[in-house]
Amino acid sequence: MDLPDDNSRYKDVDYWDERYKTEQCYDWLGSVSKFKHLLEKHVQKEDSILILGCGNSSMSGDMYSAGYHSITNIDYSSVCISTMSARHSDCPGMTWHQMDIRQLSFPDASFDVILEKATVDALMVEEKSPWKLSLHTACFLHQALTEISRCLKPGGRFVSVTFAQPFFRKRLYARTEYNWSIKNYSYGEGFEYFVLVMTKGEELSPEDAALEKEVLEDTKSPATEVATTQDEDDIKEDFLSYINVI
């Protein structure tokens, strides 16, 4: 695979369109088998599922093979959607749509589960500090999370799979207006990944409510940007090379 010259290109649809023309499959943060035990606790076979930023991951196909047959996939790359739709044309109940996660073209309360794996991570590739997001990224993510909450059914779950420590992801997800609770889990050997599960209609825990208050107070006052450096020789395909999240 061809790596981008600059990490900001991970946010560029043209980069992904070109990459998907030749790349067959790539699974960020491992295949679904790595966190299957967690998925089975929060996603039922009969659930209607939306996968955000599906890419060319094997996750959708693996979930379909495991018995999850109501899966809607979206990605902003038309090349990806065309390729994956053709690849899985023999899977009734599996659909593919080019779409912006900030403007989901679905009615309110459409899904039992909305799932993302490394999509939020990809949106943060240019961020230098997990403590202070740029205004552009913060607004982008807020729009996306608002849409995710809108499209979840009461009692539905937003499942977010990430390499970011839960404390930092909760700084994004712990908002009363999203109307969900947050629980976090982990998986992996050698290196740990995380699964956060937000349940629509449940209140934030006192701890998460306190974190929300802290974050909102921080946004009202100037914050010092944390400088980060990186040895070019250490640049790898994994997003861990691009974001200081630990």
Side-chain angles (χ1 to χ4, degrees), residues 8-186:
S8 64
R9 291 218 65 204
Y10 279 113
K11 297 171 67 176
D12 185 349
V13 68
D14 292 335
Y15 164 74
W16 290 109
D17 281 345
E18 285 301 313
R19 176 166 169 170
Y20 289 137
K21 288 178 181 178
T22 57
E23 183 181 77
Q24 292 298 305
C25 179
Y26 194 88
D27 276 300
W28 304 99
L29 314 185
S31 66
V32 70
S33 63
K34 301 295 185 181
F35 59 96
K36 180 181 177 183
H37 60 294
L38 296 173
L39 200 63
E40 290 175 339
K41 291 181 179 179
H42 302 284
V43 186
Q44 306 301 313
K45 298 294 176 62
E46 64 273 14
D47 283 344
S48 56
I49 302 166
L50 172 64
I51 296 181
L52 306 173
C54 60
N56 58 11
S57 167
S58 64
M59 182 168 68
S60 298
D62 289 345
M63 289 181 64
Y64 193 91
S65 296
Y68 301 93
H69 289 169
S70 179
I71 301 178
T72 301
N73 302 272
I74 69 166
D75 199 280
Y76 72 162
S77 167
S78 60
V79 175
C80 167
I81 292 302
S82 177
T83 300
M84 296 297 282
S85 178
R87 184 179 301 174
H88 297 282
S89 60
D90 59 344
C91 298
M94 178 106 80
T95 61
W96 305 83
H97 309 273
Q98 181 185 15
M99 200 174 297
D100 187 330
I101 64 172
R102 296 170 297 176
Q103 295 178 306
L104 299 178
S105 301
F106 306 109
D108 294 356
S110 291
F111 298 98
D112 297 297
V113 173
I114 298 180
L115 173 62
E116 71 87 17
K117 180 160 74 79
T119 299
V120 172
D121 296 336
L123 296 173
M124 299 178 67
V125 291
E126 291 185 286
E127 297 305 307
K128 301 303 182 182
S129 167
W131 298 100
K132 179 68 174 178
L133 297 183
S134 66
L135 180 61
H136 174 76
T137 297
C139 289
F140 190 111
L141 290 170
H142 177 62
Q143 289 176 312
L145 293 169
T146 299
E147 280 290 88
I148 291 168
S149 176
R150 180 185 67 78
C151 290
L152 276 177
K153 296 179 181 179
R157 285 81 62 206
F158 170 39
V159 180
S160 176
V161 185
T162 177
F163 59 71
Q165 293 283 345
F167 175 79
F168 292 116
R169 270 299 171 268
K170 284 186 176 184
R171 292 177 67 85
L172 300 178
Y173 297 157
R175 296 289 179 89
T176 303
E177 64 187 289
Y178 300 149
N179 188 27
W180 57 39
S181 63
I182 307 174
K183 292 183 179 179
N184 59 270
Y185 309 86
S186 64

